[in-house]
C-alpha cells in the first residue's frame, strides 16, 4: 500500500535523525537582523522578502559581483571610459537644473595638496552629496570617468571621507542582490557591519562555526570559514576572493556528496530487490520479434538495465535519450524481463493520455506474445477497474500502465519488482527516495526516463545516486522537421501555411509563452518591450481573424488536468485543427497527424525546450514544419535551432540534437534557465552554480566525502557534528521543497 500522506515522513526517515549533538550552540547568528546597527523594523521587513531573517541569513547573502575600485590613480593620470578611484580634496560644489529640469550637482576636484585640477565629479539627482560632503573635505572617489566637453569627469561616482574605512570606494566593492526599497549602499553597509563589526570590530562572522575539521581544510588548502566569509564579502584582492569562494563551494558540494553517498550506501546495504533475469537466447527471440531492429544505443542501454535487474541491490537508473530515440521499447523489454522472473511492473506517465499511448505501444510490441498488461487510469472504473486491481493483488497481471496516481492511490501489488517512471521532470531526489520506500519487503528496481539531457556536473552531484544510460542515436529513416525562424511581421504568411495544412486534413500546434494577458509575472523588462503573446489572446484573435472557420481550441496549465486530457484527446481524434497552448504540450505525446508547430515568443524558451516542442510534430508520414517566431534581435541564439553539424557520413549534415542544444543553452543562458527553475529536483545551492562549477572541485569533494564516510559512515564523531547537521539541513530542505 502506498499513501501520499506518508511521503514527507518517509523522506525524513530516509535521512539520519537530527541528533542533539549536531545542533550548533546558540550564537548571535540566530538573532534577528534588527540587532545590526542601522537595520530598523522597516528594513527588516524588506529583508524578509529576500528570506533574510537572522544575522546568520544576512552573512550568507552573498554578492553577485564586484566593482573593482581598488586601484588608486592620481587625478592628473585619470583616463576616460574606465572605472577608477582617486584621492581628492573637494573644491567648489555647485548645483543647477539641466535643460530637462534635472538637478545636477558638480564638484571641482583638487589634488591632495590643494592644487586645483580640471577634473570634476557630477551627479544627477543626488542632492545629499552637497549636504553631506563640505568643500575642503578629503575624499576617496570611485566611479566611471568620462569626457564631458573637454575635461574629464567622474560620472555619478561614490564618495567616502578619506579617513573613513573603505566600504564603498577604494577597494573591491561588493554588489548585492536587492529588493525594492533597499539601496545598494545600505545593503553593503549592513554586511560590512556584520562582517567587520563597525568601529569596535565586533563582527559576528567570528562566531560562525567551522563545519570542516582542520585536517580536511589543510588537505585541500582551504581558508577557515570566518576568513572565507570575510573575503567573499569584502575581499582584500582577487586571489583571496577566489580562494574564499572555493572554500564555500567546497562546503556546499561536500555536504551534498555526503548526503547522497550516505543514502546510496544505506540503500546498497539495506535495500533488497528481487533479482530479475532472462537467458541470452530468450531475450534474443524477444528482440527478433519486435517490429523493428533496435539501434546500437538501445541495445547498449538494455544490456546495462539487464545487468542491474539481475542484482539484489535495486536498480536506480536514468534512461536518457532525445525525443523519439525509442526509450519506450527499452522500458517494455525490461518489464518483460521482470514478468519472466515472476515480478510485476508499474509504468507511470505524467498524463493519462500519455499512459494510454504507452498502453497502445505495449500492445503493439507484445502482439506476438509477452507479459499481460492493462491500463489503469481514473477513467477506468467499475468492473474493469476491479478486475485490474484484483489481477495486481493476486499477481496474475504483469504490467500496469497509468499515471503517478498509481503510487499515490491504494493500489496493491503482489510482487512489484520494477517501477518505470516516464518523462518525469519533477521526479527529484525527494520523489526518488519516496518511491524506494514503498515496496513492502522488497524494493522495486527503478527506471526513470527523460528526454532532458543531464549535464555531467549534475550527474556527478544531484544525480549521483542514479546510474545513467544514454540513447544517443535515433532510429534510421527519421524524417527531418523543417525549421524556420520568422519575425512577427511575417505572421500572416505563417497562418496561411497553417490554413493550408488544415485544408489538407493535417493539424497544427501554436505554442505561446504565457497563458493570458494579465500574466506579466516575470516580465521585468519594463513597459516599452513588446509583451509576449498569450495563449488566451492568440486563440481568440486567430479564431476571429486569420484562422476563422478552422476548429481551434485552447489548452494551458491552469486548466484542470482532466480538461487538458479531454482536449488532447479531441485533438488526437482530429476534432480540432489548431491547438493553441502553452508548454503543457511539451511532454511525450504522439499526434501523428500534426505537421505544423508554431512557437510564438520563441525567445522566451530554452533551446532544449524548443527542441522538445519541435519533437511534437513529424511523428507521422507527412512532411512536418516548425516555425519559431521571435523579434529579430534574438535570432542569434535561436539560430542554433536551424544550425547543422556533420552527420558522420561524408558531406552529410544533420540538425543539432537535444544534447547539443541543451549544451548551447547552458553556455548562453546559464544553469538557472536550463534547469527550469528547480524543476528537476535540484536543491537550492547557495554558492555553487552547478552549470559552471569546476569539475575538479566536484571530484575533490566526492573523494573527501568517501574518505570521511570510510572512517565514520554515520557521521557520529564530534568533529563531524557540524557536517552531520548540514546534511540534516539539506534533507530538510528537500523534504520541504
Ligand atoms: P521516446 O524516446 O521519445 O519515448 P518512443 O519510445 O516513443 O520515443 O519511440 C518513438 C517512435 O520510434 C515509436 O513509434 C517507436 O515505435 C519507434 N521506434 C523505437 N525504436 C525504434 C527502432 N529501433 N527502429 C525504428 N523505430 C523505432
Ligand atoms: Mg517517450
Amino acid at each position: 500500500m502506498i499513501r501520499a500522506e506518508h511521503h514527507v515522513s518517509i523522506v525524513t526517515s530516509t535521512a539520519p535523525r537530527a541528533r542533539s549533538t549536531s545542533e550548533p550552540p546558540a550564537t548571535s547568528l540566530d538573532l534577528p537582523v534588527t540587532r545590526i546597527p542601522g537595520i530598523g523594523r522597516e528594513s527588516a521587513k524588506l529583508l524578509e522578502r529576500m528570506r533574510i531573517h537572522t544575522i546568520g541569513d544576512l552573512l550568507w547573502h552573498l554578492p553577485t559581483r564586484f566593482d573593482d575600485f581598488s586601484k588608486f590613480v592620481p587625478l592628473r593620470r585619470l583616463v576616460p571610459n574606465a572605472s577608477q578611484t582617486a584621492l581628492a580634496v573637494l573644491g567648489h560644489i555647485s548645483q543647477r537644473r539641466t535643460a530637462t529640469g534635472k538637478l545636477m550637482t558638480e564638484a571641482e576636484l583638487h589634488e591632495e595638496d590643494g592644487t586645483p585640477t580640471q577634473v570634476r565629479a557630477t551627479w544627477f539627482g543626488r542632492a545629499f552629496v552637497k549636504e553631506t560632503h563640505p568643500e575642503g573635505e578629503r575624499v576617496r572617489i570611485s566611479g566611471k570617468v568620462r569626457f564631458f566637453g573637454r575635461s574629464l569627469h567622474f560620472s555619478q561616482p561614490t564618495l567616502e571621507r578619506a579617513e573613513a574605512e573603505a566600504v564603498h570606494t577604494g577597494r573591491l566593492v561588493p554588489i548585492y542582490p536587492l529588493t525594492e526599497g533597499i539601496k545598494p549602499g545600505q545593503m553593503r553597509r549592513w554586511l560590512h557591519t556584520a562582517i567587520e563589526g563597525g568601529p569596535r570590530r565586533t563582527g559576528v562572522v567570528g562566531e560562525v562555526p567551522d563545519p570542516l575539521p582542520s585536517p580536511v581544510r589543510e588537505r585541500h588548502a582551504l581558508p577557515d570559514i570566518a576568513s572565507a566569509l570575510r573575503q567573499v564579502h569584502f575581499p582584500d584582492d582577487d586571489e583571496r576572493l577566489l580562494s574564499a569562494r572555493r572554500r564555500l563551494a567546497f562546503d556546499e558540494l561536500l555536504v551534498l556528496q555526503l548526503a547522497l553517498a550516505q543514502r546510496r550506501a544505506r540503500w546498497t546495504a539495506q535495500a533488497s530487490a528481487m533479482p530479475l533475469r532472462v537467458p541470452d537466447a530468450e531475450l534474443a527471440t524477444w528482440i527478433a520479434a519486435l517490429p523493428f531492429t533496435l539501434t546500437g544505443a538501445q541495445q547498449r542501454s538494455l544490456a546495462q538495465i539487464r545487468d542491474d535487474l539481475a542484482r539484489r541491490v535495486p536498480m536506480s537508473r536514468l534512461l536518457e535519450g532525445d525525443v523519439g530515440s525509442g526509450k519506450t521499447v527499452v522500458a517494455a523489454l525490461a518489464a518483460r524481463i521482470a514478468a519472466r522472473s515472476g515480478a510485476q511492473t508499474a509504468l507511470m506517465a505524467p498524463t493519462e493520455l500519455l499512459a494510454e499511448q504507452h498502453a497502445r505501444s505495449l500492445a503493439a510490441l507484445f502482439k506476438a506474445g509477452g507479459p499481460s498488461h492493462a491500463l489503469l487510469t481514473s477513467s477506468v472504473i467499475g468492473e474493469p477497474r476491479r478486475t485490474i486491481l484484483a489481477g495486481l493483488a493476486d499477481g496474475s497481471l504483469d504490467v500496469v500502465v497509468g499515471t503517478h496516481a498509481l503510487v499515490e492511490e491504494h493500489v496493491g501489488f503482489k510482487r512489484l519488482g520494477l517501477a518505470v517512471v516516464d518523462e518525469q521532470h519533477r521526479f527529484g531526489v525527494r520523489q526518488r527516495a519516496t518511491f524506494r520506500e514503498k515496496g513492502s519487503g522488497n524494493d522495486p528496481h527503478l527506471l526513470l526516463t527523460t528526454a532532458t539531457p543531464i549535464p555531467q556536473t549534475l550527474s556527478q552531484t544531484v544525480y549521483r545516486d542514479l546510474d545513467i544510460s544514454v540513447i544517443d542515436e535515433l532510429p534510421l529513416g527519421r524524417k527531418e522537421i523543417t525549421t524556420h525562424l520568422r519575425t512577427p511581421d511575417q505572421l500572416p504568411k505563417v497562418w496561411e501555411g497553417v490554413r493550408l495544412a488544415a485544408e489538407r486534413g493535417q493539424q497544427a500546434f501554436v505554442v505561446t509563452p504565457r497563458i493570458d494577458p494579465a500574466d506579466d509575472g516575470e516580465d521585468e523588462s519594463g513597459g516599452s518591450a513588446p509583451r509576449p503573446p498569450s495563449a488566451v489572446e492568440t486563440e481568440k484573435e486567430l479564431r476571429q481573424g486569420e484562422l476563422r472557420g478552422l476548429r481551434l481550441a485552447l489548452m494551458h496549465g491552469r486548466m484542470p488536468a482532466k480538461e487538458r486530457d479531454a482536449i488532447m484527446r479531441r485533438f488526437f481524434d482530429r476534432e480540432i485543427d489548431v491547438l493553441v497552448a502553452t508548454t503543457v504540450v511539451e511532454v511525450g505525446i504522439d499526434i501523428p497527424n500534426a505537421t505544423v508547430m508554431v512557437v510564438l515568443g520563441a525567445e522566451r524558451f530554452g533551446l532544449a525546450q524548443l527542441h522538445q516542442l519541435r519533437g511534437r510534430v513529424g511523428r507521422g508520414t507527412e512532411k512536418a514544419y516548425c516555425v519559431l517566431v521571435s523579434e529579430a534581435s534574438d535570432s542569434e541564439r535561436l539560430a542554433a535551432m536551424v544550425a547543422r553539424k556533420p552527420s558522420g557520413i561524408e558531406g552529410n549534415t544533420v540538425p543539432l540534437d537535444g544534447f547539443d542544444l541543451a549544451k548551447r543553452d547552458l553556455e548562453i543562458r546559464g544553469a538557472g534557465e536550463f534547469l527550469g527553475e528547480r524543476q528537476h529536483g535540484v536543491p537550492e545551492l547557495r554558492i555553487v552554480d552547478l552549470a559552471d562549477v569546476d569539475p575538479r572541485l566536484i571530484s575533490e569533494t566526492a573523494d573527501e566525502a568517501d574518505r570521511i564516510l570510510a572512517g565514520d559512515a554515520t557521521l557520529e564523531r564530534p568533529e563531524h557534528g557540524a557536517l552531520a547537521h548540514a546534511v540534516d539541513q539539506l534533507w530538510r530542505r528537500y523534504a520541504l521543497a
Side-chain angles (χ1 to χ4, degrees), residues 288-305:
L290 292 173
F292 41 71
T293 317
L294 291 183
T295 62
Q298 282 171 321
Q299 287 179 23
R300 219 169 28 245
S301 302
L302 179 64
Q304 289 164 345
I305 291 168

Side-chain angles (χ1 to χ4, degrees), residues 327-328 357-358 422-423 449 588:
K327 297 181 286 288
T328 315
Q357 178 181 306
H358 284 315
D422 187 48
E423 300 286 358
T449 79

